[in-house]
Amino acid sequence: MTGTILLTGATGFLGTYITQWILKNTDLDIIVLVRAKNMQEALYRLSRGWWDFPELIGAIEDRIQVVKGNITESGLGLEDVIYDELVSRLTHIIHMAANVSICASLDELRMTNVQGTKNVLELARKVHLDHGLIRFSHVSTAYVAGGRRGEIHENTLTDEYGFLSPYEVSKYESELLVQAAKVEFPISVFRPGMIVGDSHTGYIKTFNTLYFPVRLYMTGRLKVLPLSSSQRINLIPVDYVTDAVARLTFDPRAEGMNFHLTAPFESLPAAGELIGYVREWTRERLGITLSRPLFLPIPDSLLLRWFRIQKVFRIKQKGILDALIPLVPYFNERRRYMRDNTDRLLGCYEMEWRAIMPNLLEFSVYTGFMHRTERSVHEQIIFRQKSKSRPVTYHDVVKGKIVTRDTAEVRKNILAAVKALYSMNVCPEDRIAIVGLNSTRFLTIDVAIGLIGAVSVPLYYTCPLADIDEIIKNSNSRLLFVGSYKLIEKVEELTVTIPVISFCQDSLPQELHDKVISWNDFLAKGENSGEMRLDAPIALYNTATLRYTSGTTGRPKGAIFRHDNLRWMAESLASLIPWKTRNEKISYLSFLPMNHVVEGILTMYSPYYIPAPLNIYFLEDFHDLQDALPRVKPTIFFSVPRFYEKVWEKILNSGIGCQYLRLHKGLMKKIFRYILRWVILRKIGLERCTQLIMGSAPASENLFKSFRELGIEIHNAYGLTEAPLVTLNRFGANRLGTVGEPLPNTLVHIADDGEILVRGPQVTSGYYGGGVEQPFREGWLQTGDYGYLTGEGSLVISGRKSELIVTSYGKNIYPVKIEMMLQEITNISVVMLIGDSRPYCVSLLWVKQNLCTEFSPEATDNAIKEVNTRLSHPEQVKRWAILNDDLSIEGGDLTANLKIKRKALTGRFKDVIDALYDERELPEYVLHYGRTEKG
């Protein structure tokens, strides 16, 4: 089939599905009409509307042509030359664009639904006069039936029984225009029922009608339903409607006919049945028991009276019941939509609603019933900052004080920062570096960068100045924001010559006034810059941020993440929070450096996709974490293994902890376990935390087991700079010894050599800059980690490729496994194995004292020898040195996420390592030296 089809409403839910169907099943050229000010904006809007459908975006300018227009305007708002081109080319038109807001005014609805239809029909007339239009398909609604009851036949249309909403009136009036035009050219009219998500995937864009009361019920907020439990619900999955509209548009037999796209009456669920199914599913899938709702039907006469009162007195919806009442007519099916035409041409359709519901509910819970909008993560933040039902409150934790920030003021500063950046001639795709402590100002800068379409380059404030200098050069950053006093004082040492803006809390030192722009002076640049748009000039496939690797495996490389990467990760991370927690007030403490890939996304973007009020705390100095946690009491907590190791050390250093460890199994130990768990969680401030997550570095399995014995579950996760979160042990399915199952839409493959390969929407599109080797193998991200998948589908990490030790005898050894085993020894906090190009392995072990068990050289030696019995001969540790744990980020020993820097430590302790191999006298600071009998 050849020709050209025009689609209106192609960015909508049904429009997206129909566009996809036509692209896949026909050879037609597709023209989509997009409402926008210019072509660039039209392309942006389309790419955002289709961001879940990359195959559609990929077909733009190939099979899909985009035209900027507006159906409410004469000539569809098109330029004459484009309008004339449509007249000469079109063979088919599918008109789907409509305003479906139940609560909009009739005048507003008529603008799109009636005037818009009139304008599209005018184009169809001209096409038919020019060369003959093959088909005009109009998507109406089953609710043009208005107040009619009993059997509703496809070939009748009347207003005899009135309508229950302005929406129904406008759709009825628009269909009248279409029915009248049937004498002029070939037309088919489609009347779908209440369209719900895809029957196979559950996917939907807007959670309205059916979804609204279901969400209220699943969150425990709906106790009374204003309808009868026996009333049928006229739902129909979008894939059925799509297939019907598309197939019948190209079926000559469908010319001049009307089609009810509804399920047979007997296939529809009764309200009581549907709620009962949701109740059972919620109990089994989410572990939540919901109470049975009370069904109180409202007569139609009362509904009509209420609608008239609202209209006359302009009463606005205030409560849940007020919001539900306009939806009642759509759950009040005491009529049968006859399907004579539909069944004759498409065959009978028996909808199995119980088979569809699990997919609909899974997708709804995954997204938190939040609409699939066109917003980027930065636009979502701006949007949520104005929410009254789901407010956002910010707090800066500075030097032991919690300073609450006015959300309106934060929003105002973001908009001022956007204008200031424009005043400094920052353009889309320009790189802007940020280095500094966590704060609302860091958030302000990042969001402002995103809103102008520039690219953020967040850096670790613990990095040496030379490294910061190098990354700024590598990224070609145009500006540098600095939010650290120590760095501000050294800013003159930078070799790059770009504007530097301070976002430190206090004013600048006098000597830097000529070299650095203060925060207040920066914001002042945007105060008088006029109005601005709140939608960023970006498509979701544009670059949003560069995240540089920590440099533990060589020179830092900038991983590129697009706006669609950030949005998917933000939504996905929000979906992993347990359902009940997600719908209550959330408190989150950001303490890891904000450029850390998981922290940056978890704190910066993900909370705004949680359907609940938010309290977000930014801890300026993460060394103050111990004091901040009990004051914040976060709901969700993510940290690196070192934090949990220190918590365990605190347990060992407590009197009750020592007593607990000395006890044997029995009633007394159970009592102490309960008390210790309560005391420890309360003392560290995690008693309200629903989920404790660990990631970013390897951790001992014994650590997880120790916490589990206390009844504390820590969920291990796995990710890397190039793919920030790949797997996670889910709530209720925490498999120790693994890093969990892959996230949704994420594929994990183990290569022949054991390397973990990943594909998914969180994976970087590559490294920034030329001459950099890209991290891909046949489209898969090479993680550089070794591992395997268990039979249950969980991932186990066995080692890192770059840290592989090859002895002088050619034996390959994965140090991480051995280091984790050694780290389980009492008092050992950090371990580093050495052996590359050496005849055998030695180890440096750092120790911290605790009250329960004093450091014992003899006991440690025996424990290391016992570990050796579980290792192959080449893996065994022949000699070792015990050192006092003074490792730090500031000293360059650890990365910002507390992983050891092997190269740095090898250099710092070269004399110890050499002595271990040469059997020379060790330095005095070595606490203890040990060896095997043959070592």
Side-chain angles (χ1 to χ4, degrees):
M1 181 188 301
T2 58
T4 302
I5 186 166
L6 172 68
L7 304 178
T8 70
T11 58
F13 179 40
L14 179 62
T16 299
Y17 266 69
I18 286 179
T19 308
Q20 190 179 40
W21 194 101
I22 294 169
L23 186 68
K24 182 179 179 181
N25 296 286
T26 77
D27 294 323
L28 292 172
D29 291 329
I30 302 169
I31 297 177
V32 296
L33 185 70
V34 180
R35 185 172 182 171
K37 294 179 180 178
N38 52 55
M39 270 304 297
Q40 185 180 42
E41 184 182 319
L43 289 169
Y44 285 158
R45 278 206 62 199
L46 197 59
S47 73
R48 290 164 176 240
W50 287 349
W51 86 289
D52 289 318
F53 302 86
E55 67 278 14
L56 292 183
I57 296 174
I60 296 174
E61 297 182 3
D62 178 15
R63 292 234 348 247
I64 298 176
Q65 179 184 342
V66 184
V67 293
K68 155 190 92 65
N70 185 343
I71 64 168
T72 67
E73 297 178 6
S74 175
L76 305 183
L78 300 172
E79 297 176 12
D80 291 344
V81 63
I82 295 176
Y83 192 89
D84 292 342
E85 182 187 353
L86 293 186
V87 169
S88 65
R89 286 183 60 192
L90 293 180
T91 54
H92 301 76
I93 296 174
I94 299 181
H95 176 44
M96 299 169 284
N99 185 337
V100 297
S101 175
I102 301 295
C103 301
S105 69
L106 183 56
D107 288 342
E108 188 180 351
L109 289 159
R110 279 174 171 158
M111 182 65 69
T112 301
N113 298 345
V114 181
Q115 185 59 49
T117 299
K118 188 181 294 185
N119 293 337
V120 178
L121 285 170
E122 183 59 28
L123 172 65
R125 288 188 184 92
K126 292 180 179 178
V127 172
H128 196 64
L129 287 172
D130 184 80
H131 58 271
L133 183 68
I134 297 176
R135 185 66 53 83
F136 180 96
S137 290
H138 173 68
V139 179
S140 182
T141 174
Y143 300 105
V144 292
R148 279 182 288 164
R149 292 287 177 259
E151 292 185 349
I152 311 296
H153 293 276
E154 289 166 305
N155 295 325
T156 58
L157 182 68
T158 175
D159 62 353
E160 182 180 351
Y161 298 94
F163 299 97
L164 293 175
S165 73
Y167 165 72
E168 291 181 359
V169 174
S170 68
K171 291 300 286 184
Y172 169 79
E173 291 176 354
S174 66
E175 190 179 319
L176 283 179
L177 296 173
V178 176
Q179 297 290 352
K182 281 184 175 179
V183 297
E184 302 177 64
F185 46 86
I187 289 176
S188 297
V189 175
F190 302 96
R191 298 176 186 151
M194 187 190 306
I195 297 178
V196 296
D198 190 305
S199 62
H200 304 289
T201 66
Y203 180 89
I204 194 168
K205 279 193 173 183
T206 304
F207 293 90
N208 50 18
T209 52
L210 170 70
Y211 293 90
F212 179 63
V214 169
R215 176 176 66 84
L216 291 176
Y217 180 60
M218 288 179 64
T219 54
R221 297 170 61 199
L222 186 61
K223 307 297 183 183
V224 179
L225 278 165
L227 67 159
S228 167
S229 63
S230 63
Q231 289 171 357
R232 303 277 179 163
I233 298 175
N234 185 21
L235 61 86
I236 191 78
V238 68
D239 43 314
Y240 175 78
V241 176
T242 297
D243 189 68
V245 171
R247 284 172 59 191
L248 293 173
T249 293
F250 304 112
D251 189 336
R253 299 174 298 167
E255 180 182 330
M257 300 175 72
N258 307 322
F259 300 92
H260 279 153
L261 303 184
T262 57
F265 187 80
E266 294 74 15
S267 300
L268 300 175
E273 290 179 319
L274 185 69
I275 288 296
Y277 185 93
V278 171
R279 186 170 182 262
E280 185 64 21
W281 184 90
T282 303
R283 184 183 64 80
E284 292 181 0
R285 180 67 180 80
L286 305 179
I288 299 170
T289 301
L290 301 170
S291 60
R292 297 179 187 276
L294 178 65
F295 289 90
L296 287 177
I298 299 176
D300 289 352
S301 58
L302 289 180
L303 280 177
L304 284 168
R305 196 172 300 164
W306 171 246
F307 292 145
R308 291 192 190 107
I309 291 171
Q310 279 190 319
K311 184 177 179 181
V312 171
F313 294 99
R314 296 182 180 179
I315 298 173
K316 293 184 179 180
Q317 297 171 6
K318 294 181 180 179
I320 290 174
L321 193 60
D322 287 330
L324 274 175
I325 285 176
L327 301 177
V328 170
Y330 306 102
F331 297 95
N332 193 14
E333 288 304 347
R334 286 177 286 211
R335 54 192 169 193
R336 292 171 179 261
Y337 292 97
M338 308 308 290
R339 291 171 41 98
D340 296 344
N341 295 337
T342 306
D343 288 345
R344 189 182 312 118
L345 298 190
L346 292 180
C348 296
Y349 173 58
E350 294 297 327
M351 181 180 71
E352 296 289 341
W353 67 267
R354 286 183 177 84
I356 296 171
M357 283 305 297
N359 296 328
L360 301 187
L361 292 172
E362 283 285 356
F363 186 81
S364 301
V365 168
Y366 172 78
T367 57
F369 287 86
M370 294 184 75
H371 301 323
R372 309 290 290 165
T373 69
E374 301 173 0
R375 290 188 286 269
S376 68
V377 292
H378 307 98
E379 293 161 350
Q380 177 69 9
I381 292 171
I382 286 290
F383 172 78
R384 278 295 299 273
Q385 286 174 342
K386 292 192 74 176
S387 174
K388 293 180 179 178
S389 60
R390 297 166 179 168
V392 182
T393 307
Y394 297 105
H395 314 269
D396 284 320
V397 186
V398 184
K399 296 178 181 177
K401 294 182 180 179
I402 295 178
V403 183
T404 300
R405 305 295 183 188
D406 180 64
T407 303
E409 187 68 22
V410 174
R411 190 174 190 274
K412 178 183 175 183
N413 286 345
I414 290 172
L415 301 183
V418 169
K419 295 177 184 178
L421 290 172
Y422 276 129
S423 75
M424 298 177 76
N425 298 316
V426 175
C427 300
E429 300 188 18
D430 283 347
R431 271 76 57 206
I432 300 177
I434 321 171
V435 56
L437 306 173
N438 293 15
S439 65
T440 51
R441 290 185 181 179
F442 197 116
L443 174 80
T444 297
I445 296 160
D446 187 273
V447 176
I449 291 169
L451 288 176
I452 65 172
V455 179
S456 66
V457 186
L459 309 175
Y460 281 117
Y461 58 80
T462 54
C463 281
L465 204 64
D467 291 355
I468 293 173
D469 209 35
E470 182 181 345
I471 291 174
I472 292 172
K473 291 176 185 174
N474 179 270
S475 63
N476 298 304
S477 292
R478 281 203 51 203
L479 298 177
L480 171 63
F481 285 90
V482 179
S484 162
Y485 299 112
K486 291 180 180 178
L487 289 176
I488 276 288
E489 291 169 356
K490 298 177 183 178
V491 76
E492 294 177 281
E493 298 175 26
L494 291 171
T495 63
V496 290
T497 53
I498 58 174
V500 177
I501 302 154
S502 167
F503 65 99
C504 293
Q505 296 293 340
D506 298 325
S507 57
L508 283 171
Q510 187 63 41
E511 62 270 19
L512 291 177
H513 277 197
D514 295 334
K515 303 177 180 69
V516 178
I517 301 169
S518 72
W519 179 248
N520 290 335
D521 287 346
F522 167 69
L523 291 182
K525 290 176 178 288
E527 286 180 355
N528 302 310
S529 301
E531 294 298 317
M532 62 162 284
R533 289 172 46 193
L534 293 182
D535 52 332
I538 53 100
L540 288 168
Y541 48 76
N542 290 147
T543 300
T545 186
L546 301 181
R547 300 285 169 149
Y548 276 80
T549 58
S550 61
T552 54
T553 58
R555 294 181 67 180
K557 293 177 286 247
I560 299 168
F561 290 101
R562 303 183 307 264
H563 286 275
D564 59 337
N565 294 133
L566 296 187
R567 179 166 152 168
W568 184 89
M569 285 188 278
E571 289 184 332
S572 186
L573 285 172
S575 77
L576 298 173
I577 300 171
W579 175 250
K580 191 173 181 180
T581 304
R582 245 193 299 170
N583 287 278
E584 297 173 350
K585 196 169 187 177
I586 294 283
S587 289
Y588 186 79
L589 175 64
S590 168
F591 73 96
L592 290 173
M594 297 268 280
N595 74 304
H596 183 283
V597 283
V598 177
E599 180 76 358
I601 294 161
L602 189 62
T603 307
M604 197 91 75
Y605 314 126
S606 188
Y608 304 92
Y609 293 89
I610 297 174
L614 303 172
N615 265 297
I616 301 175
Y617 296 81
F618 297 96
L619 179 61
E620 186 179 68
D621 186 348
F622 80 54
H623 292 102
D624 295 334
L625 178 63
Q626 184 175 338
D627 296 325
L629 272 173
R631 301 177 67 189
V632 172
K633 294 180 171 48
T635 314
I636 303 294
F637 186 72
F638 168 79
S639 189
V640 294
R642 192 70 189 113
F643 167 79
Y644 295 101
E645 289 165 1
K646 287 183 176 180
V647 171
W648 189 248
E649 288 170 10
K650 185 175 286 189
I651 293 173
L652 296 179
N653 278 303
S654 68
I656 190 172
C658 292
Q659 186 67 27
Y660 167 77
L661 292 174
R662 292 190 188 107
L663 289 170
H664 297 292
K665 289 182 179 179
L667 178 61
M668 189 58 67
K669 186 152 190 172
K670 286 183 179 179
I671 294 171
F672 265 79
R673 180 184 299 127
Y674 175 81
I675 296 171
L676 182 59
R677 178 182 181 276
W678 184 82
V679 168
I680 288 299
L681 288 179
R682 190 172 179 81
K683 191 170 183 179
I684 62 177
L686 294 177
E687 72 269 25
R688 293 182 188 170
C689 196
T690 304
Q691 193 169 15
L692 297 169
I693 304 173
M694 181 194 294
S696 296
S700 161
E701 185 176 344
N702 193 49
L703 181 67
F704 293 95
K705 289 179 179 177
S706 298
F707 276 102
R708 175 172 277 187
E709 283 183 13
L710 286 179
I712 300 171
E713 291 287 329
I714 300 174
H715 298 78
N716 204 2
Y718 168 69
L720 57 158
T721 301
E722 296 83 353
L725 194 60
V726 176
T727 64
L728 173 69
N729 272 294
R730 310 298 174 84
F731 190 79
N734 191 14
R735 300 187 178 102
L736 301 192
T738 80
V739 289
E741 300 174 25
L743 268 60
N745 305 317
T746 300
L747 299 176
V748 173
H749 173 68
I750 307 300
D752 292 339
D753 63 354
E755 184 178 6
I756 300 166
L757 307 178
V758 177
R759 271 183 180 164
Q762 72 275 59
V763 173
T764 177
S765 54
Y767 293 132
Y768 176 78
V772 183
E773 185 179 355
Q774 298 300 323
F776 301 108
R777 181 197 302 181
E778 297 178 353
W780 291 84
L781 173 69
Q782 297 175 274
T783 64
D785 291 311
Y786 290 112
Y788 61 90
L789 291 165
T790 67
E792 299 164 313
S794 293
L795 181 65
V796 177
I797 307 295
S798 55
R800 179 133 187 91
K801 200 172 183 180
S802 63
E803 295 172 352
L804 179 69
I805 289 173
V806 183
T807 68
S808 56
Y809 290 102
K811 300 295 183 179
N812 292 345
I813 295 167
Y814 301 118
V816 172
K817 179 189 80 170
I818 302 166
E819 289 167 348
M820 288 299 99
M821 293 170 73
L822 294 171
Q823 202 166 312
E824 291 180 0
I825 297 170
T826 303
N827 294 88
I828 300 301
S829 57
V830 182
V831 178
M832 186 172 76
L833 194 72
I834 300 105
D836 202 39
S837 302
R838 304 276 195 168
Y840 51 84
C841 291
V842 301
S843 182
L844 302 183
L845 302 96
W846 286 266
V847 57
K848 276 200 173 178
Q849 305 288 345
N850 69 71
L851 293 177
C852 292
T853 52
E854 293 184 8
F855 169 63
S856 166
E858 183 180 354
T860 303
D861 288 349
N862 290 335
I864 294 172
K865 291 171 184 176
E866 192 280 326
V867 168
N868 277 338
T869 64
R870 292 180 274 146
L871 299 171
S872 66
H873 182 74
E875 293 176 313
Q876 292 175 2
V877 182
K878 305 299 183 184
R879 298 172 186 171
W880 53 90
I882 310 293
L883 306 165
N884 188 49
D885 186 358
D886 64 347
L887 305 183
S888 67
I889 296 171
E890 293 78 8
D893 311 307
L894 306 173
T895 66
N897 53 4
L898 303 178
K899 287 191 245 182
I900 61 171
K901 290 187 174 181
R902 294 182 185 273
K903 186 176 180 181
L905 290 177
T906 302
R908 179 180 168 187
F909 297 101
K910 183 178 183 301
D911 52 348
V912 180
I913 296 168
D914 289 344
L916 286 174
Y917 280 105
D918 299 340
E919 295 198 69
R920 287 184 281 147
E921 186 176 347
L922 285 107
E924 290 183 3
Y925 60 81
V926 174
L927 299 179
H928 173 69
Y929 163 70
R931 55 182 290 174
T932 61
E933 288 77 4
K934 298 179 181 179

